[in-house]
Amino acid sequence: MAQKTKHIAVFRLSAMGDVAMTVPVILALIKQHPEVKITVVSRSFFKPIFEQIPELNFLSVHTHHRHKGFLGIFRLYRDLKALGVDEIADLHNVLRSKMIRFLFRMQGKKTAFTDKGREEKKQLTRLQIKTIAPLKTMTQRHVDTFKQLGYTIHFDSSWHLPKQTLSRAVSEFTGAKTRPWIGIAPFAQHAAKTYPIDLMQQVIEGLVHQNVQVFLLGGGRHEAEILEKMAQMGSNIKNMANKVSFEHELELISNLDLMVSMDSGNAHLAALYGVDTITLWGATHPFAGFAPYGQPEENCLVADREQFPFLPTSIYGNRVVPGYEDAMRTITPAQILQKINSNLNKAIGI
């Protein structure tokens, strides 16, 4: 007898890096459990990340109008019910998704949520001299969530999205690929995990005379202005901030040979496509479980804990600790350039 299809709604509303980290787990789930139907519930901005997975559906959450407030939560519940959702996998675990879980449980539906390990993370970031050890990765925590629903997933580092074909809208900016492509995303949401701009300029200066093409990635207007100035440092440096849509930016990222990023969304997007990703860590640390999926530990360059023994001091970088403002300066431009060249040499077999 054929197994009955189960329809799971997967909640992961924000932020970009967190959303990206759900993708490898969902890919593994779909491959290993073809009897499962998936609807991802998230912000419409993130839809392009999931459009390369034809087996799943996407439901956009509109928190500023249709799904705003308590009535909006009930509308979202009705939207999901109309889709025939049987189970809820809550990878976000915030008030809105908790209320949806409650409403589904009241109907006798199965639900599960991701344990974010808040107490462990609190211990990891305590402001004292400490010995630190890796916590469970967020991807593994999501695997555990599906296990609560009864779906065992054999999970490793091989679940990637395929490289995309560059559209004309992107290739008009990039030109033909005649040398290695490096993406550099020098910004993060918080200053405590953003590499100092003057040092990042030295990194870019070190790449100007190399046979590489550098694409600068960023978001806001102020960031774009800084990146535009950086792009003037050499003919092989291009600012992509606000030049193309997010969907087209994913095309570019998927075709990179290397990404250099903060502990931020761009690192996780590159890792989704199996792109070698070098990350720079200041107040935060890869041991908290947010290292880019499938990347070797040596690709994570961390601030010097001998000089700043309380590190990590924050999970998300939003905690400011007096005296630790210059922690990222202990990661030198020479270290970053050495890691870039080492990875590129491996890629081309030198």
Side-chain angles (χ1 to χ4, degrees), residues 47-311:
K47 187 175 182 180
I49 299 175
F50 297 94
E51 284 183 327
Q52 288 179 268
I53 311 174
E55 298 91 343
L56 63 73
N57 301 318
F58 188 93
L59 177 63
S60 296
V61 177
H62 303 285
T63 57
H64 296 295
H65 37 94
R66 176 169 176 76
H67 300 127
K68 182 179 180 180
F70 179 77
L71 287 177
I73 290 172
F74 191 71
R75 288 192 193 100
L76 179 56
Y77 163 70
R78 289 193 304 179
D79 290 345
L80 290 166
K81 198 173 176 183
L83 291 174
V85 167
D86 301 296
E87 300 173 341
I88 301 292
D90 183 2
L91 311 187
H92 198 61
N93 197 22
V94 293
L95 181 60
R96 180 178 285 102
S97 58
K98 287 177 181 179
M99 293 184 70
I100 294 292
R101 288 198 333 250
F102 172 78
L103 291 169
F104 270 89
R105 281 201 309 273
M106 292 291 288
Q107 296 296 316
K109 303 295 186 181
K110 205 169 182 180
T111 71
F113 67 91
T114 293
D115 175 8
K116 296 182 179 179
R118 288 190 173 93
E119 187 56 38
E120 302 163 64
K121 291 172 181 174
K122 183 178 178 181
Q123 290 298 311
L124 184 72
T125 57
R126 63 194 185 278
L127 297 183
Q128 63 186 62
I129 297 175
K130 61 209 170 188
T131 300
I132 64 173
L135 303 183
K136 186 180 291 187
T137 65
M138 286 309 298
T139 49
Q140 186 57 55
R141 291 181 187 277
H142 296 330
V143 167
D144 293 345
T145 302
F146 287 107
K147 188 175 182 179
Q148 293 176 48
L149 293 175
Y151 305 102
T152 299
I153 301 174
H154 301 288
F155 193 68
D156 56 23
S157 60
S158 64
W159 301 99
H160 298 115
L161 293 176
K163 182 185 295 187
Q164 297 192 50
T165 301
L166 291 180
S167 63
R168 184 174 178 180
V170 178
S171 58
E172 283 181 350
F173 283 101
T174 63
K177 188 172 184 178
T178 58
R179 49 190 171 178
W181 282 7
I182 301 174
I184 296 182
F187 298 105
Q189 186 175 0
H190 302 289
K193 60 178 186 177
T194 300
Y195 194 60
I197 290 298
D198 62 310
L199 298 186
M200 184 56 76
Q201 287 176 327
Q202 293 180 39
V203 173
I204 294 171
E205 284 173 2
L207 296 172
V208 165
H209 300 295
Q210 294 193 33
N211 187 32
V212 295
Q213 176 64 60
V214 176
F215 297 101
L216 304 177
L217 304 168
R221 180 177 176 182
H222 178 63
E223 293 178 1
E225 290 175 354
I226 294 173
L227 295 181
E228 194 61 44
K229 291 179 181 178
M230 287 183 173
Q232 296 171 13
M233 295 166 64
S235 59
N236 62 335
I237 315 295
K238 290 189 178 182
N239 172 27
M240 297 300 292
N242 302 329
K243 304 292 187 184
V244 294
S245 67
F246 176 57
E247 183 176 4
H248 288 145
E249 191 171 277
L250 289 177
E251 292 177 18
L252 171 61
I253 289 173
S254 77
N255 282 273
L256 294 175
D257 296 288
L258 182 69
M259 170 69 88
V260 180
S261 176
M262 306 301 103
D263 166 21
S264 66
N266 280 296
H268 296 289
L269 293 176
L272 274 189
Y273 295 98
V275 174
D276 281 351
T277 303
I278 297 169
T279 41
L280 313 181
W281 303 76
T284 60
H285 198 282
F287 280 8
F290 294 98
Y293 165 72
Q295 297 296 313
E297 186 178 330
E298 57 266 25
N299 275 3
C300 300
L301 301 182
V302 299
D304 188 346
R305 294 190 65 249
E306 290 190 6
Q307 293 186 49
F308 296 93
F310 291 176
L311 291 174

